[in-house]
Amino acid sequence: MMGSPVEHARQLWPQDHAKFCEVMEQWQAEMKTSCEKVVGIMLASLGLTNEEDMKWFEPKNGCDGTPCVLQLNSYQVCPDLDRAMGLAPHTDSSLITLLNQRNTNNLQVYKDGAGWVAVEPVEGALVVNVGDLMHIVSNGKFTSVLHRAVVNKTCHRASRLRSFMGSHGMSRSHH
């Protein structure tokens, strides 16, 4: 979902979508701030702190707004795990992705020598996945992570994530 979730919500709940939209708009604003802070800290750790270093980060051709994507995923209960995939192994194309994992460990990362490893949820924490763009910008100092989501035999999982491509108004005050 890019931009406002209003049109998507109207399709799902034509009669009563206002509360959903209000919560999602608030969540998007808070996640945007969190994404900007995390990316700013990561870029500062690479020595990218002055305005000249950050020009590549600015939108071009009159584009305004932050290129971000809000994604809502729903993974239904599946008694036969061999018959369902969840979300296939992939890396994210963004700088970073913040994931609200909630209380289930359906997220797995691929670790060399160990294979697929479950990411245990930590209450109150967000998972930060480094994306391909950050891998490129950092010249491999931050490595994009191969990950997947698997279904669960006993509980439904819903995840909210925000992929962050950059921002023209990113504050550098947190550096």
Side-chain angles (χ1 to χ4, degrees), residues 63-102:
C63 178
D64 62 350
T66 304
C68 295
V69 176
L70 169 65
Q71 186 171 328
L72 306 173
N73 295 324
S74 176
Y75 304 95
Q76 300 298 319
V77 173
C78 182
D80 184 358
L81 299 181
D82 293 330
R83 297 181 55 95
M85 182 185 332
L87 191 58
H90 66 283
T91 58
D92 297 333
S93 59
S94 57
L95 285 165
I96 64 169
T97 298
L98 294 185
L99 170 67
N100 182 355
Q101 192 177 11
R102 315 261 328 227

Side-chain angles (χ1 to χ4, degrees), residues 28-78:
Q28 282 194 77
E30 290 175 15
M31 292 300 283
K32 178 181 181 283
T33 299
S34 296
C35 285
E36 289 176 348
K37 287 180 181 179
V38 171
V39 168
I41 291 167
M42 292 173 80
L43 295 176
S45 76
L46 299 171
L48 301 173
T49 57
N50 66 47
E51 294 297 320
E52 192 61 34
D53 290 337
M54 301 302 284
K55 279 192 175 185
W56 66 271
F57 208 55
E58 309 278 330
K60 305 293 186 242
N61 302 326
C63 178
D64 62 350
T66 304
C68 295
V69 176
L70 169 65
Q71 186 171 328
L72 306 173
N73 295 324
S74 176
Y75 304 95
Q76 300 298 319
V77 173
C78 182

